Amino acid sequence: MFNKILIANRGEIACRVATTARRLGIRTVAVYSEADTGARHVAFCDEAMAIGGAAAADSYLKADRIIAAAQAAGAQAIHPGYGFLSENAAFADACAAAGLVFIGPPASAIRAMGSKSAAKALMEKAGVPLVPGYHGENQDAVFLQQQADKIAYPVLLKASAGGGGKGMRIVERSEDFAAALASCQREAKNSFGDERVLVEKYLVRPRHIEIQVFADTHGHCASLFERDCSVQRRHQKVLEEAPAPGMTAERRKAMGDAAVAAARAVGYVGAGTVEFIAQQDGSFYFMEMNTRLQVEHPVTEMITGTDLVEWQLRVAAGERLPLLQQDLKIQGHAIEARVYAENPEKGFLPSTGRLQHLRMPVAAEFTREDVVRVDAGVREGDAITPYYDPMIAKLIVWGDDRAQALARMAQALARFEVVGLSTNVAFLGRLITSKPFSAAELDTGLIERHHDELFPMAMPSPLPVLALACAALILSESQASADPWSQTSGWRMNGSLTRRLSFMDATGERLLGLAYERTGVRLNTDRGTALLSDFSRTGHQLSVSVDGQALTASVVSSGDSFQIFHGGQHWSLDWSNPIAHAGEQEVGSGRLTAPMPGKIVALLVDAGAQVDKGTPLLIMEAMKMEHTINAPSQGTVTELLYAVGDQVTEGAQLLSFEHKEN
Ligand code: ADP
Ligand code: ADP
Ligand code: MG
């Protein structure tokens, strides 16, 4: 076994790999960019080496620097994690040339599966079923459209070299094909430096079911069963579970055999995932093979009682698979939720910022220690930056059966508290408890189809939440002044005066009254009244007695804003402080600004262009997603302020626009 490895990644996966390495007595070397100097993975590893600038291209993708760091540190092997260099065959070759073990498959297997098109050709030969489509070399636009017409619409265009959902375009009609092809090619070129595409029949209501495979250098190859990753947004996984609901033993064997055949066809070694798209009748087709450890590998670990990173290390060191097919069994049910810094209400747009407050559920809060696991790459105080994936953590739970796993996931999500940026925690909670997901009515369109149920109208803050906000305000005022009852804000000892307060919550303005009484403070609201007493606060934990009932919750205050975690929900209340808001102005609206820091990838109009409302004007890329900026109204683009390739900061004005007066 190795005695020192370098981890060529960051975030949760770097911490995850380091955890196993430590357990096996292997020293770990972290690498980090300028943006990650104080990152959790750096603190977590035994040693750390700086490798360059914040942008991934200047650090985590710099193969030569990473290899030099491994050599300087005296590491014997490199674990690439996922993303970054994990599926880069040239990097695997360079490791070998430098005398380092690449903890992953042989470069030849990465190459064989690296192009979705070439992989499909190979799988066809190996007898693995494929989605109807065209995956050949001919990239002529007219020819590709003929192929699409032949398989009939809707069709899906994919970047051959693609990943991460990038470049994919659904085409509904032949008339739309040319435009979709151009935009798919542009995104493919921009993201992967390769504009080749393939065409596939777009399946209706499919499920994404993938098989975890593992092979060693002694000729063994096993399937560690399936994961169902059907719940997706933008073709990216949101929830992953194992086993797949409704899976029969025969189908599991058929899919496992197909996946093992796929792995064997390319001489696979190590951890890999064969992704299939399945129809509701159970028929399944090969989609692609991911030649690395997958984000969602923990659900497989939970149902098989394995540590797949340990398996990777053992296999890379030349050992046999710890368990062979006949020794592998499924136990219970596991589910993973990806907790992202993003705003589900705004089309899942990634968000950035500092994690001012972060509380994650821990095993100790549950009855058993092995039923909840949090894989996190960040701590309270860390920032989610625009440079990398906006994942905060993965939450993984296990249960005897699906119902128990779902119930535990709902509980764990209710204990997950984040202040400082938008997250999908509340959305995940609604998703897990939604009717279609509970009933396992799974397909990749679940989120879109149940949009109204998953995005309900905001609720007015209930009385306990208003009580907590008032208690937090009273406590902060009493800290600010030795004599809280004699402030400008209207307190009087005689008890006859009511202080009027206004808070804004998600539903609008909430008017409250507070009156001082002998035994406490009387809170009057449109939702009823309560007597508040016994206020106290330790850090973010606030306690108050409401009509004699003790209530404790996390309340994070900053200035006049209160973030309250109560009843498994996050409530945000802003106090309309009559003093603080004097003199503030509305920021001018209608400006065409960058929604987040990023890079301009395409200008779709020239200066002087007359456009209609909704006309796409430019495309920027940020956090591995493309964002199209559209005309807000009919008008004229008077000036383009940036060129293709320019970096822009959040809020930067991108172009000047003159609205046409009617
Ligand atoms: P990526 O490299 O981005 O992971 P995949 O080929 O694995 O790309 O596809 C990602 C997702 O897109 C799938 O999980 C599925 O939801 C959807 N998808 C892919 N191919 C098809 C298809 N032919 N029909 C319908 N949906 C598809
Ligand atoms: P999965 O199907 O497991 O989600 P993906 O291919 O979408 O796999 O990507 C795996 C992970 O790696 C994702 O979290 C993705 O955001 C990240 N990732 C993919 N490509 C890159 C890249 N070039 N730089 C940084 N992270 C990446
Ligand atoms: Mg995929």
Side-chain angles (χ1 to χ4, degrees):
M1 185 45 77
F2 312 112
N3 48 47
K4 194 192 258 191
I5 62 167
L6 178 139
I7 303 170
N9 215 300
R10 61 180 305 282
E12 64 87 17
I13 190 63
C15 298
R16 155 83 193 90
V17 172
T19 305
T20 293
R22 173 163 309 160
R23 189 168 56 71
L24 298 177
I26 301 169
R27 274 184 79 77
T28 51
V29 184
V31 292
Y32 63 97
S33 72
E34 278 164 17
D36 277 341
T37 324
R40 180 166 191 256
H41 78 276
V42 175
F44 213 80
C45 291
D46 300 311
E47 298 169 32
M49 318 267 288
I51 48 163
D58 298 329
S59 49
Y60 299 106
L61 290 170
K62 281 267 183 227
D64 48 348
R65 285 193 206 156
I66 289 171
I67 288 172
Q71 288 176 321
Q76 296 132 344
I78 297 185
H79 194 301
Y82 53 70
F84 300 128
L85 296 168
S86 60
E87 294 181 277
N88 186 315
F91 179 66
D93 278 336
C95 287
L100 295 159
V101 175
F102 174 75
I103 302 172
S108 56
I110 302 178
R111 279 201 181 91
M113 291 295 184
S115 153
K116 285 186 167 59
S117 305
K120 286 181 83 173
L122 258 170
M123 291 305 108
E124 209 163 19
K125 274 201 204 132
V128 179
L130 300 183
V131 189
Y134 176 77
H135 50 264
E137 282 299 313
N138 192 340
Q139 294 289 306
D140 176 66
V142 176
F143 173 81
L144 289 173
Q145 180 155 6
Q146 284 165 358
Q147 295 300 310
D149 293 347
K150 206 158 79 189
I151 55 178
Y153 295 86
V155 302
L156 184 62
L157 286 168
K158 289 184 188 175
S160 298
K166 279 195 146 183
M168 296 214 301
R169 298 287 183 280
I170 302 164
V171 193
E172 303 281 355
R173 304 170 309 169
S174 191
E175 301 90 279
D176 303 335
F177 188 87
L181 176 65
S183 100
C184 176
Q185 285 170 328
R186 194 196 53 249
E187 194 171 340
K189 180 129 198 282
N190 179 52
S191 311
F192 312 109
D194 179 344
E195 62 177 15
R196 282 176 296 172
V197 303
L198 61 87
V199 189
E200 264 176 21
K201 177 90 189 155
Y202 185 66
L203 301 181
V204 180
R205 299 190 71 160
R207 282 169 72 176
H208 173 120
I209 299 180
E210 58 185 34
I211 302 284
Q212 174 73 56
V213 292
F214 232 107
D216 64 19
T217 49
H218 304 272
H220 306 115
C221 184
S223 147
L224 283 86
F225 317 113
E226 78 280 3
R227 291 182 289 255
D228 190 313
C229 315
S230 299
V231 181
Q232 305 184 342
R233 52 125 181 70
R234 287 199 313 262
H235 302 300
Q236 291 287 283
K237 300 156 186 167
V238 177
L239 297 175
E240 298 112 339
E241 61 182 307
M247 178 68 87
T248 63
E250 299 76 56
R251 183 87 58 194
R252 175 171 297 127
K253 173 142 190 345
M255 293 184 86
D257 289 349
V260 167
R264 288 203 186 274
V266 295
Y268 205 79
V269 177
T273 294
V274 181
E275 295 189 332
F276 293 103
I277 190 131
Q279 310 222 70
Q280 296 294 328
D281 68 6
S283 55
F284 59 93
Y285 307 102
F286 172 85
M287 225 169 6
E288 65 164 344
M289 179 167 186
N290 292 327
T291 53
R292 54 169 161 83
L293 195 66
Q294 204 95 326
V295 176
E296 56 274 22
H297 74 276
V299 297
T300 300
E301 297 183 321
M302 278 199 159
I303 61 152
T304 54
T306 53
D307 176 335
L308 297 184
V309 171
E310 176 177 349
W311 282 41
Q312 285 189 297
L313 292 165
R314 293 199 181 285
V315 165
E319 294 181 25
R320 285 159 194 272
L321 288 186
L323 296 172
L324 297 179
Q325 194 69 65
Q326 63 270 21
D327 311 318
L328 286 158
K329 300 265 171 320
I330 297 179
Q331 261 216 31
H333 198 96
I335 177 162
E336 172 179 288
R338 299 189 187 192
V339 177
Y340 279 109
E342 66 181 15
N343 192 335
E345 279 73 23
K346 288 191 188 157
F348 298 96
L349 199 68
S351 83
T352 57
R354 200 159 288 285
L355 295 156
Q356 281 169 36
H357 168 77
L358 175 65
R359 186 171 164 242
M360 299 188 278
V362 289
E365 292 171 341
F366 291 79
T367 46
R368 280 180 43 194
E369 292 229 323
D370 52 348
V371 299
V372 58
R373 163 174 166 186
V374 181
D375 283 14
V378 289
R379 300 148 301 193
E380 189 168 271
D382 288 346
I384 300 292
T385 70
Y387 302 110
Y388 317 109
D389 194 81
M391 189 155 74
I392 297 171
K394 304 188 305 205
L395 185 56
I396 314 109
V397 301
W398 183 91
D400 289 322
D401 54 22
R402 188 172 192 265
Q404 192 182 52
L406 262 51
R408 283 188 177 142
M409 178 58 92
Q411 279 176 43
L413 283 166
R415 289 172 163 82
F416 211 111
E417 302 175 355
V418 184
V419 175
L421 34 72
S422 310
T423 74
N424 63 346
V425 172
F427 172 76
L428 289 171
R430 294 194 294 269
L431 190 55
I432 289 282
T433 53
S434 71
K435 247 173 72 190
F437 187 74
S438 314
E441 289 161 13
L442 302 177
D443 72 86
T444 58
L446 187 146
I447 291 178
E448 269 167 50
R449 197 168 47 254
H450 296 278
H451 188 274
D452 294 353
E453 178 184 350
L454 294 172
F455 293 92
M457 297 270 286
M459 297 263 289
S461 321
L463 190 64
V465 170
L466 297 173
L468 286 160
C470 291
L473 180 63
I474 291 168
L475 278 168
S476 71
E477 288 176 342
S478 68
Q479 257 164 19
S481 153
D483 177 9
W485 313 115
S486 67
Q487 291 194 21
T488 49
S489 39
W491 289 106
R492 289 261 183 84
M493 285 301 287
N494 64 20
S496 62
L497 189 85
T498 292
R499 176 185 181 184
R500 305 243 159 252
L501 284 177
S502 149
F503 282 97
M504 292 297 284
D505 70 9
T507 57
E509 188 173 27
R510 307 295 305 280
L511 291 169
L512 313 176
L514 289 177
Y516 183 79
E517 291 179 4
R518 201 171 37 81
T519 48
V521 179
R522 166 73 46 195
L523 166 64
N524 292 304
T525 80
D526 54 359
R527 310 239 124 192
T529 165
L531 186 69
L532 314 183
S533 58
D534 303 318
F535 311 94
S536 71
R537 170 159 215 162
T538 328
H540 293 315
Q541 286 303 106
L542 191 142
S543 299
V544 55
S545 156
V546 181
D547 285 334
Q549 288 241 321
L551 174 63
T552 297
S554 292
V555 178
V556 183
S557 327
S558 91
D560 297 331
S561 136
F562 301 92
Q563 309 297 319
I564 298 170
F565 295 88
H566 177 263
Q569 292 188 63
H570 180 174
W571 308 87
S572 182
L573 284 117
D574 286 307
W575 176 46
S576 313
N577 182 344
I579 300 163
H581 292 288
E584 257 180 32
Q585 280 181 18
E586 278 281 294
V587 183
S589 60
R591 289 177 56 179
L592 292 150
T593 53
M596 61 183 64
K599 193 172 87 177
I600 306 292
V601 293
L603 296 169
L604 305 176
V605 292
D606 295 320
Q610 312 235 343
V611 295
D612 288 329
K613 181 174 170 158
T615 304
L617 304 178
L618 68 77
I619 299 177
M620 59 177 290
E621 192 207 55
M623 304 187 81
K624 304 205 262 86
M625 243 180 89
E626 282 199 353
H627 307 273
T628 304
I629 309 291
N630 298 318
S633 62
Q634 198 181 26
T636 309
V637 176
T638 50
E639 195 184 351
L640 297 165
L641 300 171
Y642 290 94
V644 170
D646 285 353
Q647 289 286 341
V648 295
T649 54
E650 182 172 347
Q653 190 171 355
L654 300 170
L655 40 83
S656 317
F657 187 81
E658 233 164 57
H659 300 266
K660 186 175 171 195
E661 309 292 338
N662 287 311

